[in-house]
């Protein structure tokens, strides 16, 4: 049950960013737009079990947000959008929701942009740790 809670925490934070463009959520129908939009995937990693005698585990993973901008117009719109995401998920962000405490453990990182299907695609990776109790 922790993965849906982690997804909810991260997606709620992302969708609350002022001025966010349309968002293509993982596994949901989305009509591609001509302008800027974000594409989102949750990439969980293997959990840690730091304690044997309590019902506690540490989930890790990455929220991958790929900024999709029109190709041929330069990188500025995508880079500005990446900075907005990075600011919203700054290193040290700490959110607790019920039995889940989620922490952004590193500053979000941009990967190299890719030009694909007429789109300038700039990935932003947000690494998280989630302590799950119960």
């Amino acid at each position: 049950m922790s993965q849906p809670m982690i997804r909810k925490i991260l997606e709620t934070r992302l969708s609350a960013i002022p001025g966010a463009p349309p968002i293509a959520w993982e596994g949901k129908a989305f009509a591609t737009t001509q302008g800027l939009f974000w594409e989102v995937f949750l990439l969980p990693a293997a959990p840690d079990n730091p304690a044997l005698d309590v019902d506690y585990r540490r989930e890790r993973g990455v929220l991958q947000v790929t900024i999709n901008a029109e190709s041929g117009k330069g990188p500025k719109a995508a880079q500005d959008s990446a900075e907005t995401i990075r600011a919203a998920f700054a290193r040290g962000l700490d959110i607790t929701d019920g039995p889940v405490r989620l922490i952004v453990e590193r500053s979000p990182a941009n990967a190299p942009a890719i030009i694909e299907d007429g789109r300038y695609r700039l990935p932003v990776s947000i690494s998280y740790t989630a302590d799950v109790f119960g």
Side-chain angles (χ1 to χ4, degrees), residues 9-10 13 87-95 102-105 126 129:
I9 291 168
L10 293 166
R13 178 81 177 185
F89 289 92
R91 180 177 158 258
L93 176 68
D94 188 333
I95 302 171
L102 185 136
I103 299 170
V104 174
E105 56 189 16
I126 302 158
T129 298

Side-chain angles (χ1 to χ4, degrees), residues 65-126:
V65 182
T66 301
I67 300 156
N68 286 268
E70 294 179 61
S71 182
K73 295 189 175 185
K76 184 171 178 4
Q79 289 172 340
D80 289 349
S81 197
E83 288 306 311
T84 300
I85 294 167
R86 291 176 58 150
F89 289 92
R91 180 177 158 258
L93 176 68
D94 188 333
I95 302 171
T96 300
D97 185 359
V100 177
R101 179 181 181 207
L102 185 136
I103 299 170
V104 174
E105 56 189 16
R106 294 186 205 74
S107 296
N110 296 357
I114 301 165
I115 308 261
E116 180 179 49
D117 297 328
R119 307 295 298 172
Y120 180 87
R121 297 170 46 86
L122 180 63
V124 179
S125 298
I126 302 158

